[in-house]
Amino acid sequence: MMRILLTSTSFQDTPGKHQDLLNAQNYDIVSCRGPLKEKKMLEIIENIDGLICGDDEITDEVIKKGSKSKLKIISKYGVGLDKIDLNSANKHNIKVTNCLGVNHNTVAEHVFALLLSHSRNINEQTNLIKQGKWIRTIGNEIHGKTIGIIGLGKIGKEVAKRSLSFGLNVLVFDKLIKEEVLNTYSFKQSSVEEILEKSDYISLHLPLNEGTKNIINKNNFKIVKKKLVIINTARSGLISEDLII
């Protein structure tokens, strides 16, 4: 019987066909609640044939130990693979898969939940009401403002489409953008610098790699508007830590 290690809490906590499909395979399923650090992964990776992971630390050491035992495949329940040492997986003949498109609508909706919550002071008003206070705060319309979307994959594209529906001016940046996408939705391809300079809101939708790490940093942040709002539902490493600390 194949033994499957399941660490993705999103997989575990969301009922649906994915649960039914896995349970129907007659696998021996070992469930742990991730994301797990390398030390814990090293403790449990032996005698595992397949791994369904979230953002666990799947390092070279983890992959080496797994490959010396039974590990054959790593499946990311999500899109980003930056927590998995892909070079090590290739070296040790471990197949790596992900779930393209699994959450593009969910994340796009979450972006607007955050944006509207901020612009209309929803969290602040909720907390005041819970305290028994009735203090009216003034929010801001997003209609007519400019949103810069950095990364126009499945998620970024859904955010851009929703932005048009809200009456926002949309600027986009993606090195791999296709001309027909720009033409279909009338998006304006911009540089990162132009987006930083002209946007009232910025939404990040890039994978984290050597080319995108710290794409927003102290050098290019000097040109932004004073009240710029950045929404990062991708990876924290896209923004230089010295801007936050």
Side-chain angles (χ1 to χ4, degrees), residues 122-136:
I122 292 174
N123 281 353
E124 182 181 352
Q125 289 289 148
T126 300
N127 290 333
L128 287 170
I129 290 171
K130 286 180 177 179
Q131 296 167 27
K133 300 177 182 178
W134 182 249
I135 302 172
R136 295 180 66 182

Side-chain angles (χ1 to χ4, degrees), residues 56-91:
D56 313 279
E57 292 182 355
I58 317 298
T59 63
D60 177 51
E61 290 301 313
V62 172
I63 291 171
K64 280 196 296 186
K65 188 170 183 179
S67 68
K68 289 177 181 178
S69 181
K70 299 168 63 180
L71 187 64
K72 304 175 185 68
I73 186 168
I74 299 169
S75 180
K76 168 67 185 287
Y77 187 65
V79 179
L81 299 174
D82 50 283
K83 292 289 188 177
I84 302 172
D85 190 325
L86 298 177
N87 290 329
S88 179
N90 184 59
K91 178 181 176 182

